[in-house]
Amino acid sequence: MKELVDILRDEQHLESRNYKALLECDDESVVTYLHEQAQNVAIEHFGHGIFVRGLVELTNVCRNDCYYCGIRKSNSNVERYVLTTEQVLQSCKRGYELGFRTFVLQGGELSREKAPWIIDLIGEIRKRWSDCAITLSLGEWPRDVYKAMRKAGADRYLLRHETHNAEHYGKLHPTEMSLNNRIQCLSWLKELGYQVGTGIMVGSPCQSLDNIVEDIEFIEHFKPEMIGLGPFIPQHDTPFASHHVGSAELTCRLYSIFRLMFPNALIPSTTALNSITPKGRIMGIKAGSNVVMPNLSPTEYRDNYALYDGKSHINAEAAEGIAQLEAQLASIGYHINWSRGDFKPTIKRKL
Ligand code: 5AD
């Protein structure tokens, strides 16, 4: 089995059945080897620096009704908010002063009429902090809106495909949503010159290992600059409230597979991973991830942005806890890399 890891590292590709074999493998020594190789590749490309992105949770209002998500529109137990322009700019200002050079605007999908407000907001952030990268994670929009957002100054876009199997997609989302549209959005974003991120929840309801292999192969083919993966975590007001939590171990295994497949990709050690296990972030970094996304949102709104139960937004997961994050990274010989951390297409391979 270790040779599969070597092949993936050297050729950045495996046959479907071998991806599945790696996902299924219960030999601890192979899994350890996979993580070691992935961590080595990450260090070869990025050193011991971990990029940070300041996350601003713009709104928990959402026009969609994804069955797994705590801010789905039919959840009437959520106190809805939309940050004001001033609150967003204040959050960015605080982030800038702390040293952040990437802002991620994430939120539920607002109604179409709100697009001009978002576009103006992007323009304002671009004008005030011209040396910062602006990443959006705001869901599905028509092409012309993505285009206007890009023109206003957005550089990157995160849009997880969630699953590349249409039947599985249908089990996670209401019929108004479709995998085709999600994939269409991803290809528009690419065409428009965004650095694009996609990904899945690990252990989402009805997901099989074969589905994950399909996701790996879609990502292999799509070649995103960023890959976002976190365990599924139930939220008590959703139809999947009693579904079990996704596996941290499998999430980390996927970080390693994607690191070997894409040596220079930006792969966050996600909040979801850190929310289910106290050492989650460190496990993720040791498996080859190289980004963390602390929360910059005004503290009084954070509880309302509850995509899942137990979402961590304090201590090292929060911008105010940056010293704690630094200490945590230092404990494993890493540090924060404060640069914008853009995707660099040149692949330096060790000869
Ligand atoms: N558990 C884990 N991740 C979730 N997300 C939404 N709901 C959950 C949940 N219950 C993830 C989705 C989405 C991202 C913003 O958050 O993958 O793309």
Side-chain angles (χ1 to χ4, degrees), residues 67-69 72 203-206 232-246 307-309:
Y67 302 145
Y68 46 83
C69 183
R72 60 201 298 264
S204 62
C206 309
F232 166 77
I233 307 173
Q235 201 280 352
H236 60 276
D237 287 319
T238 63
F240 295 133
S242 54
H243 195 276
H244 56 87
V245 172
L307 307 185
Y308 44 81
D309 292 338

mmCIF file of all heavy atoms in Angstrom, residues 67-69 72 203-206 232-246 307-309:
data_model
loop_
_atom_site.group_PDB
_atom_site.id
_atom_site.type_symbol
_atom_site.label_atom_id
_atom_site.label_comp_id
_atom_site.label_asym_id
_atom_site.label_seq_id
_atom_site.Cartn_x
_atom_site.Cartn_y
_atom_site.Cartn_z
ATOM 1 N N TYR A 67 -30.299 20.935 3.098
ATOM 2 C CA TYR A 67 -30.802 20.175 4.251
ATOM 3 C C TYR A 67 -29.821 20.070 5.413
ATOM 4 O O TYR A 67 -30.208 19.818 6.535
ATOM 5 C CB TYR A 67 -31.207 18.753 3.807
ATOM 6 C CG TYR A 67 -32.249 18.729 2.720
ATOM 7 C CD1 TYR A 67 -32.224 17.747 1.725
ATOM 8 C CD2 TYR A 67 -33.271 19.679 2.683
ATOM 9 C CE1 TYR A 67 -33.174 17.712 0.718
ATOM 10 C CE2 TYR A 67 -34.228 19.659 1.682
ATOM 11 C CZ TYR A 67 -34.175 18.677 0.703
ATOM 12 O OH TYR A 67 -35.111 18.650 -0.283
ATOM 13 N N TYR A 68 -28.535 20.232 5.130
ATOM 14 C CA TYR A 68 -27.525 20.043 6.168
ATOM 15 C C TYR A 68 -27.187 21.321 6.929
ATOM 16 O O TYR A 68 -26.516 21.292 7.950
ATOM 17 C CB TYR A 68 -26.222 19.501 5.536
ATOM 18 C CG TYR A 68 -25.797 20.250 4.273
ATOM 19 C CD1 TYR A 68 -25.094 21.437 4.350
ATOM 20 C CD2 TYR A 68 -26.148 19.762 3.018
ATOM 21 C CE1 TYR A 68 -24.744 22.131 3.200
ATOM 22 C CE2 TYR A 68 -25.803 20.440 1.871
ATOM 23 C CZ TYR A 68 -25.092 21.622 1.962
ATOM 24 O OH TYR A 68 -24.752 22.302 0.831
ATOM 25 N N CYS A 69 -27.630 22.466 6.424
ATOM 26 C CA CYS A 69 -27.076 23.728 6.899
ATOM 27 C C CYS A 69 -27.979 24.444 7.896
ATOM 28 O O CYS A 69 -29.183 24.608 7.656
ATOM 29 C CB CYS A 69 -26.803 24.627 5.701
ATOM 30 S SG CYS A 69 -26.033 26.179 6.182
ATOM 31 N N ARG A 72 -30.166 27.490 6.735
ATOM 32 C CA ARG A 72 -31.135 27.278 5.643
ATOM 33 C C ARG A 72 -32.383 28.123 5.869
ATOM 34 O O ARG A 72 -32.761 28.391 7.012
ATOM 35 C CB ARG A 72 -31.488 25.791 5.536
ATOM 36 C CG ARG A 72 -32.097 25.208 6.776
ATOM 37 C CD ARG A 72 -31.944 23.699 6.804
ATOM 38 N NE ARG A 72 -32.645 23.105 5.695
ATOM 39 C CZ ARG A 72 -33.883 22.600 5.764
ATOM 40 N NH1 ARG A 72 -34.547 22.598 6.902
ATOM 41 N NH2 ARG A 72 -34.454 22.080 4.710
ATOM 42 N N GLY A 203 -18.212 12.804 5.184
ATOM 43 C CA GLY A 203 -19.187 12.106 6.034
ATOM 44 C C GLY A 203 -20.562 12.743 5.971
ATOM 45 O O GLY A 203 -21.365 12.603 6.898
ATOM 46 N N SER A 204 -20.861 13.439 4.858
ATOM 47 C CA SER A 204 -22.200 14.022 4.747
ATOM 48 C C SER A 204 -23.218 12.882 4.606
ATOM 49 O O SER A 204 -22.868 11.777 4.185
ATOM 50 C CB SER A 204 -22.271 14.974 3.550
ATOM 51 O OG SER A 204 -22.037 14.274 2.344
ATOM 52 N N PRO A 205 -24.471 13.135 4.972
ATOM 53 C CA PRO A 205 -25.478 12.071 4.924
ATOM 54 C C PRO A 205 -25.551 11.405 3.547
ATOM 55 O O PRO A 205 -25.497 12.096 2.522
ATOM 56 C CB PRO A 205 -26.776 12.819 5.257
ATOM 57 C CG PRO A 205 -26.328 13.966 6.109
ATOM 58 C CD PRO A 205 -25.013 14.379 5.545
ATOM 59 N N CYS A 206 -25.651 10.099 3.540
ATOM 60 C CA CYS A 206 -25.766 9.266 2.332
ATOM 61 C C CYS A 206 -24.489 9.216 1.496
ATOM 62 O O CYS A 206 -24.492 8.668 0.386
ATOM 63 C CB CYS A 206 -26.912 9.718 1.415
ATOM 64 S SG CYS A 206 -28.471 9.896 2.240
ATOM 65 N N PHE A 232 -18.648 16.665 8.089
ATOM 66 C CA PHE A 232 -20.052 17.031 8.294
ATOM 67 C C PHE A 232 -20.313 17.054 9.800
ATOM 68 O O PHE A 232 -19.850 16.172 10.528
ATOM 69 C CB PHE A 232 -20.982 16.001 7.625
ATOM 70 C CG PHE A 232 -22.398 16.156 8.095
ATOM 71 C CD1 PHE A 232 -23.182 17.179 7.597
ATOM 72 C CD2 PHE A 232 -22.926 15.311 9.075
ATOM 73 C CE1 PHE A 232 -24.486 17.368 8.079
ATOM 74 C CE2 PHE A 232 -24.217 15.489 9.553
ATOM 75 C CZ PHE A 232 -25.003 16.518 9.041
ATOM 76 N N ILE A 233 -21.041 18.070 10.252
ATOM 77 C CA ILE A 233 -21.420 18.160 11.670
ATOM 78 C C ILE A 233 -22.913 18.489 11.723
ATOM 79 O O ILE A 233 -23.345 19.468 11.111
ATOM 80 C CB ILE A 233 -20.619 19.271 12.401
ATOM 81 C CG1 ILE A 233 -19.109 19.086 12.196
ATOM 82 C CG2 ILE A 233 -20.959 19.293 13.889
ATOM 83 C CD1 ILE A 233 -18.245 20.220 12.745
ATOM 84 N N PRO A 234 -23.714 17.674 12.408
ATOM 85 C CA PRO A 234 -25.155 17.955 12.407
ATOM 86 C C PRO A 234 -25.491 19.273 13.099
ATOM 87 O O PRO A 234 -24.772 19.710 13.996
ATOM 88 C CB PRO A 234 -25.752 16.773 13.173
ATOM 89 C CG PRO A 234 -24.621 16.147 13.908
ATOM 90 C CD PRO A 234 -23.364 16.474 13.175
ATOM 91 N N GLN A 235 -26.568 19.877 12.647
ATOM 92 C CA GLN A 235 -27.097 21.085 13.298
ATOM 93 C C GLN A 235 -28.504 20.720 13.754
ATOM 94 O O GLN A 235 -29.275 20.142 12.985
ATOM 95 C CB GLN A 235 -27.071 22.249 12.287
ATOM 96 C CG GLN A 235 -27.096 23.630 12.925
ATOM 97 C CD GLN A 235 -28.493 24.081 13.354
ATOM 98 O OE1 GLN A 235 -29.484 23.434 13.044
ATOM 99 N NE2 GLN A 235 -28.547 25.180 14.087
ATOM 100 N N HIS A 236 -28.835 21.053 15.004
ATOM 101 C CA HIS A 236 -30.053 20.510 15.622
ATOM 102 C C HIS A 236 -31.365 20.915 14.962
ATOM 103 O O HIS A 236 -32.360 20.241 15.153
ATOM 104 C CB HIS A 236 -30.073 20.830 17.119
ATOM 105 C CG HIS A 236 -30.054 22.299 17.399
ATOM 106 N ND1 HIS A 236 -28.883 23.034 17.433
ATOM 107 C CD2 HIS A 236 -31.056 23.166 17.617
ATOM 108 C CE1 HIS A 236 -29.173 24.297 17.678
ATOM 109 N NE2 HIS A 236 -30.488 24.410 17.791
ATOM 110 N N ASP A 237 -31.399 22.008 14.178
ATOM 111 C CA ASP A 237 -32.654 22.419 13.544
ATOM 112 C C ASP A 237 -32.781 21.964 12.095
ATOM 113 O O ASP A 237 -33.588 22.516 11.349
ATOM 114 C CB ASP A 237 -32.775 23.954 13.570
ATOM 115 C CG ASP A 237 -33.084 24.464 14.956
ATOM 116 O OD1 ASP A 237 -33.901 23.832 15.648
ATOM 117 O OD2 ASP A 237 -32.494 25.486 15.346
ATOM 118 N N THR A 238 -31.969 21.026 11.669
ATOM 119 C CA THR A 238 -32.017 20.589 10.268
ATOM 120 C C THR A 238 -32.559 19.161 10.176
ATOM 121 O O THR A 238 -32.569 18.437 11.178
ATOM 122 C CB THR A 238 -30.602 20.603 9.636
ATOM 123 O OG1 THR A 238 -29.803 19.643 10.343
ATOM 124 C CG2 THR A 238 -29.952 21.968 9.712
ATOM 125 N N PRO A 239 -32.966 18.745 8.977
ATOM 126 C CA PRO A 239 -33.453 17.356 8.823
ATOM 127 C C PRO A 239 -32.370 16.316 9.159
ATOM 128 O O PRO A 239 -32.693 15.166 9.416
ATOM 129 C CB PRO A 239 -33.813 17.272 7.335
ATOM 130 C CG PRO A 239 -33.992 18.690 6.889
ATOM 131 C CD PRO A 239 -33.112 19.527 7.749
ATOM 132 N N PHE A 240 -31.101 16.721 9.166
ATOM 133 C CA PHE A 240 -30.030 15.772 9.479
ATOM 134 C C PHE A 240 -29.537 15.904 10.920
ATOM 135 O O PHE A 240 -28.404 15.506 11.237
ATOM 136 C CB PHE A 240 -28.855 15.968 8.510
ATOM 137 C CG PHE A 240 -29.191 15.650 7.080
ATOM 138 C CD1 PHE A 240 -28.816 16.526 6.057
ATOM 139 C CD2 PHE A 240 -29.858 14.485 6.730
ATOM 140 C CE1 PHE A 240 -29.109 16.240 4.720
ATOM 141 C CE2 PHE A 240 -30.155 14.190 5.400
ATOM 142 C CZ PHE A 240 -29.783 15.060 4.396
ATOM 143 N N ALA A 241 -30.401 16.442 11.783
ATOM 144 C CA ALA A 241 -30.008 16.708 13.177
ATOM 145 C C ALA A 241 -29.411 15.481 13.867
ATOM 146 O O ALA A 241 -28.487 15.601 14.659
ATOM 147 C CB ALA A 241 -31.213 17.193 13.963
ATOM 148 N N SER A 242 -29.955 14.290 13.546
ATOM 149 C CA SER A 242 -29.467 13.131 14.309
ATOM 150 C C SER A 242 -28.459 12.299 13.517
ATOM 151 O O SER A 242 -28.092 11.202 13.941
ATOM 152 C CB SER A 242 -30.646 12.276 14.773
ATOM 153 O OG SER A 242 -31.420 11.948 13.647
ATOM 154 N N HIS A 243 -27.997 12.823 12.420
ATOM 155 C CA HIS A 243 -26.956 12.115 11.660
ATOM 156 C C HIS A 243 -25.632 12.213 12.410
ATOM 157 O O HIS A 243 -25.386 13.178 13.124
ATOM 158 C CB HIS A 243 -26.824 12.745 10.261
ATOM 159 C CG HIS A 243 -26.067 11.875 9.309
ATOM 160 N ND1 HIS A 243 -24.697 11.872 9.243
ATOM 161 C CD2 HIS A 243 -26.490 10.957 8.420
ATOM 162 C CE1 HIS A 243 -24.312 10.994 8.334
ATOM 163 N NE2 HIS A 243 -25.387 10.418 7.821
ATOM 164 N N HIS A 244 -24.774 11.207 12.225
ATOM 165 C CA HIS A 244 -23.511 11.254 12.981
ATOM 166 C C HIS A 244 -22.488 12.201 12.336
ATOM 167 O O HIS A 244 -22.569 12.531 11.152
ATOM 168 C CB HIS A 244 -22.937 9.841 13.159
ATOM 169 C CG HIS A 244 -22.742 9.120 11.864
ATOM 170 N ND1 HIS A 244 -21.601 9.240 11.119
ATOM 171 C CD2 HIS A 244 -23.578 8.306 11.163
ATOM 172 C CE1 HIS A 244 -21.734 8.522 10.021
ATOM 173 N NE2 HIS A 244 -22.921 7.951 10.011
ATOM 174 N N VAL A 245 -21.549 12.591 13.148
ATOM 175 C CA VAL A 245 -20.483 13.517 12.733
ATOM 176 C C VAL A 245 -19.530 12.813 11.760
ATOM 177 O O VAL A 245 -19.274 11.620 11.897
ATOM 178 C CB VAL A 245 -19.698 13.956 13.996
ATOM 179 C CG1 VAL A 245 -18.463 14.746 13.644
ATOM 180 C CG2 VAL A 245 -20.583 14.736 14.929
ATOM 181 N N GLY A 246 -19.009 13.563 10.801
ATOM 182 C CA GLY A 246 -18.015 13.002 9.868
ATOM 183 C C GLY A 246 -16.698 12.726 10.582
ATOM 184 O O GLY A 246 -16.470 13.211 11.697
ATOM 185 N N LEU A 307 -23.697 27.267 11.151
ATOM 186 C CA LEU A 307 -23.924 26.301 10.074
ATOM 187 C C LEU A 307 -24.130 24.914 10.667
ATOM 188 O O LEU A 307 -24.866 24.098 10.135
ATOM 189 C CB LEU A 307 -22.725 26.255 9.120
ATOM 190 C CG LEU A 307 -22.239 27.574 8.525
ATOM 191 C CD1 LEU A 307 -21.137 27.314 7.525
ATOM 192 C CD2 LEU A 307 -23.380 28.316 7.862
ATOM 193 N N TYR A 308 -23.437 24.659 11.795
ATOM 194 C CA TYR A 308 -23.536 23.359 12.467
ATOM 195 C C TYR A 308 -23.341 23.589 13.961
ATOM 196 O O TYR A 308 -22.897 24.665 14.382
ATOM 197 C CB TYR A 308 -22.485 22.381 11.923
ATOM 198 C CG TYR A 308 -21.105 22.992 11.763
ATOM 199 C CD1 TYR A 308 -20.251 23.115 12.843
ATOM 200 C CD2 TYR A 308 -20.679 23.467 10.524
ATOM 201 C CE1 TYR A 308 -19.003 23.683 12.700
ATOM 202 C CE2 TYR A 308 -19.429 24.047 10.377
ATOM 203 C CZ TYR A 308 -18.591 24.153 11.470
ATOM 204 O OH TYR A 308 -17.354 24.730 11.338
ATOM 205 N N ASP A 309 -23.690 22.577 14.766
ATOM 206 C CA ASP A 309 -23.585 22.728 16.221
ATOM 207 C C ASP A 309 -22.119 22.716 16.665
ATOM 208 O O ASP A 309 -21.288 22.009 16.088
ATOM 209 C CB ASP A 309 -24.341 21.585 16.927
ATOM 210 C CG ASP A 309 -25.857 21.694 16.724
ATOM 211 O OD1 ASP A 309 -26.334 22.807 16.423
ATOM 212 O OD2 ASP A 309 -26.542 20.664 16.863
#
